[in-house]
Amino acid sequence: MEKIKKVTLDEIHHSLGAKMIPFAGYDMPVRYSSDMEEHKTVRENVGVFDVSHMGEFIVEGPNALDLIQKVSSNDAAKLKIGQAQYTCFPNLEGGVVDDFLVYKMEEERYMLVVNASNIDKDWAWIQQHNTVNAKLENISDEISLFAIQGPNTIKAIQSLTSTSLKDIPFYHFEIGSFAGVDDVIISATGYTGEPGFELYVKNADAKKIWNAIFDSGSQLDIKPIGLGARDTLRLEMGYCLYGHELSDTTSPLEAGLGWITKFTKDFINHEALKKQKEAGIKRKLVGFKLLERGIPRADYSIVNAEGEVIGKVTSGSQSPSMGIGIGLGYVDIEYAKPGTEIGIEVRKKRISAKIEKLPLLKK
């Protein structure tokens, strides 16, 4: 059995009373207080996630962009230094190896940020397809990653850096000094639907930076947030989670990721995906809200008015912001239009639901 890894701040999480669970090969904090309280902290104030389990790869050299263009569905040629881009690795069967971020660090140097559960798989994939001899380095075990999210983020942490946080546009980043530590990547990214920043720091500096964030944000009642709230926050926004909405057998087009699938360039399996686009997809990822009491869960059947199975739930929960059951799932394309009434089979009982345009949480 594979040994569970610990993040650098494991002791701090234990001291804060976190409930720890094995997740993607790491012992991770799932909650410190309650999922409901932590969710509301991020929506209304500011919270901090330790997401150091994520993976980071450096791709550099004169052929770095060629390799990224080959393995990535999005067009990384459009990136300027200081920009990040959401994209995915298409596989050879029409599915997705992983979804990830590309950061353009320098003219011939990029950082890829991949999902924790897929670090080894992604690393093998990119090495396998590195026929252009780009220089690759897996720095996942050297980097800690904190996501500070919520409407009061800038108020909480601006005093820790001379970098003007309000001047970093969404999906852009700066490299600067933070809490007296040099070379911190300050990135205006996150997966909650709230304003915020992700900080990439060396493990040796992780404790200092974590403590500084909480000292700086103490007057705002800043709180640590676990993976439980991270999941409900992204679900309200309709954001995909690998292993649920995305997998080796789900097409990026079916998952609503046509916007990161650019047929203006060649990439792995682009011809098959282009044919799928031209022919039209047969199923589609949708968001839905329950019209009755109940909580949808992954793998519950989605049915039509006649009770015929037309799809499957991929993620579901009670929405802390709306107080109703919500979810994401794949349905046959003829049922994918917003406003369509569907049923979710919850323990052999059909619960009424309606397909909604994403995000599920309207602000």
Side-chain angles (χ1 to χ4, degrees), residues 44-117:
E44 297 165 9
N45 187 23
V46 56
V48 188
F49 303 81
D50 183 349
V51 282
S52 302
H53 59 320
M54 299 291 280
E56 294 86 14
F57 306 153
I58 299 296
V59 184
E60 61 185 329
N63 298 327
L65 180 61
D66 291 343
L67 174 59
I68 292 167
Q69 290 290 70
K70 178 182 174 184
V71 298
S72 162
S73 64
N74 210 334
D75 187 359
K78 292 181 175 173
L79 286 173
K80 295 182 169 65
I81 294 168
Q83 276 186 312
Q85 182 183 75
Y86 179 60
T87 183
C88 74
F89 296 120
N91 66 19
L92 296 166
E93 291 77 43
V96 174
V97 178
D98 200 8
D99 60 330
F100 66 104
L101 295 180
V102 182
Y103 286 75
K104 185 167 185 178
M105 314 298 289
E106 296 166 22
E107 213 41 71
E108 295 181 353
R109 182 179 168 87
Y110 298 81
M111 180 171 75
L112 314 186
V113 182
V114 303
N115 285 300
S117 54

Side-chain angles (χ1 to χ4, degrees), residues 1-5 22 24-26 116-117 119-120:
M1 192 175 150
E2 197 179 347
K3 189 172 181 283
I4 297 282
K5 293 182 177 179
Y26 286 80
S117 54
I119 292 172
D120 292 343

Side-chain angles (χ1 to χ4, degrees), residues 279-295:
I281 54 174
K282 294 184 170 56
R283 62 174 191 156
K284 188 181 177 188
L285 183 68
V286 296
F288 61 85
K289 293 179 181 176
L290 296 195
L291 302 174
E292 306 173 63
R293 282 173 65 92
I295 300 177

